[in-house]
Amino acid sequence: MPRQDSNHQDHQDFTMTHHRARTTATALALAASLALGLGACGGSSSDDSSGETGWGEIEGGQAADEGTVLEQPFDKPDVTLTDTSGEPYNLREETDGHVTLVYFGYTHCPDICPLTMSNIALAADTLTEEQRQDLRVVFITTDPERDTPESLGDWLRAQSPDFTGLTGDFETIQQTARAIGVGLEEPYVAEDGGVVSTHGTQVLAFLPSDDRAHVVYTEGVTAETFERDLPKLLNGELP
C-alpha cells in the first residue's frame, strides 16, 4: 500500500514502484523512511512529477516480499548499451538462453540500490556453480553522467564479480526502462546541491524459454525471496 510523508512519496501503479532519491540524505532521514517502509533511496522532495504510464497487469495478490507473476510478460529489449569494459553489450543477444534479472539504479544511491543488488548476490551465492553459470544479473545505471563504465564496474564488483553493469545515453536507458514497465526520470541537481534520481525499483526476471519477463520483484523482497525463487526460475518454473 502506498505511504506518504511530507518529504517522500513512494507510488506503486500495477508493477510500477516510483522511487525518488537524493544522495544527500542524512542517516536519520534514512532510518525514518525505512521504518515507515517507504523504500526511500536517500533524501526528500515534495515534487510529484512521476511521469508514470500504464504498465502491465499482475496476477494474484502476492505479499510484498514475494515475486509477482505478470499476466502480460514484457519482451526483453533489443538494445545495445556499454558494459563496464567500455564494450558494446546487446542485452537480448548477450543474455539469450539464460535466466536474466534486470534492475535499474545508480551507484550513488545510499540504500535501495545496493540493498537490492546485495540481496540478489546473497541468493546467487547459495546456487550451485552450474546454476550460477546459467544466471545473468544486469544492472543498468539511471545516472549515466556520473556512472562511468569504470566507476560502475568498481561498484558492482563489490556486490558480485558475476554481475553485469551497463551505461549509455540517458534517452536510450529511459526508453529501455519504460519498455519493461520501469519509470525513470533524468537526474537533476536540487537547490541544496544534491542529485535527485527518480526511478522504479523493480527487478524484472526474464526466462530463457521465450526471452520475456514473467516475474517482477518490488521493493519489499528479501534475499530469502530470491534464494527461494532463483532455483525455480532456473528450472523454468514460475515462483
Side-chain angles (χ1 to χ4, degrees):
M1 177 178 298
R3 297 170 181 256
Q4 177 177 345
D5 64 18
S6 60
N7 289 326
H8 211 101
Q9 184 164 320
D10 190 18
H11 302 280
Q12 185 169 336
D13 180 6
F14 295 104
T15 64
M16 168 63 185
T17 300
H18 177 249
H19 173 59
R20 175 163 284 109
R22 182 173 298 168
T23 60
T24 56
T26 64
L28 181 60
L30 170 59
S33 64
L34 291 178
L36 289 171
L38 297 178
C41 185
S44 61
S45 174
S46 58
D47 177 36
D48 185 25
S49 55
S50 65
E52 297 179 25
T53 57
W55 292 309
E57 297 179 359
I58 59 177
E59 178 180 288
Q62 286 92 333
D65 63 345
E66 295 181 358
T68 301
V69 177
L70 297 169
E71 288 185 348
Q72 298 179 351
F74 292 108
D75 292 329
K76 185 183 293 178
D78 186 9
V79 62
T80 299
L81 295 168
T82 302
D83 67 17
T84 55
S85 299
E87 298 296 324
Y89 185 101
N90 182 278
L91 179 62
R92 183 179 294 179
E93 293 178 359
E94 296 288 348
T95 61
D96 182 50
H98 300 277
V99 169
T100 303
L101 303 184
V102 175
Y103 181 78
F104 292 83
Y106 66 114
T107 66
H108 290 78
C109 173
D111 40 63
I112 297 301
C113 300
L115 176 61
T116 299
M117 300 310 291
S118 176
N119 284 340
I120 296 173
L122 288 171
D125 283 344
T126 67
L127 299 173
T128 67
E129 179 63 28
E130 183 179 1
Q131 288 174 321
R132 285 196 296 272
Q133 290 179 357
D134 285 338
L135 177 66
R136 299 290 182 270
V137 179
V138 180
F139 181 96
I140 303 177
T141 182
T142 62
D143 186 11
E145 184 173 338
R146 292 189 295 172
D147 285 346
T148 64
E150 182 180 8
S151 64
L152 180 57
D154 290 342
W155 186 85
L156 269 183
R157 279 189 290 274
Q159 303 290 336
S160 170
D162 296 327
F163 290 173
T164 297
L166 300 179
T167 186
D169 66 272
F170 180 82
E171 182 177 356
T172 300
I173 292 172
Q174 184 182 55
Q175 291 173 350
T176 302
R178 289 181 172 178
I180 56 176
V182 180
L184 184 60
E185 296 179 13
E186 189 166 7
Y188 65 91
V189 179
E191 293 181 359
D192 64 1
V195 176
V196 179
S197 178
T198 305
H199 63 89
T201 58
Q202 307 99 300
V203 176
L204 278 297
F206 293 82
L207 295 183
S209 56
D210 60 3
D211 255 358
R212 306 181 80 189
H214 287 266
V215 185
V216 60
Y217 296 93
T218 52
E219 194 173 303
V221 300
T222 62
E224 288 75 19
T225 304
F226 290 113
E227 182 177 346
R228 180 189 64 228
D229 287 1
L230 284 180
K232 296 178 182 179
L233 294 172
L234 290 163
N235 198 37
E237 304 171 3
L238 295 177

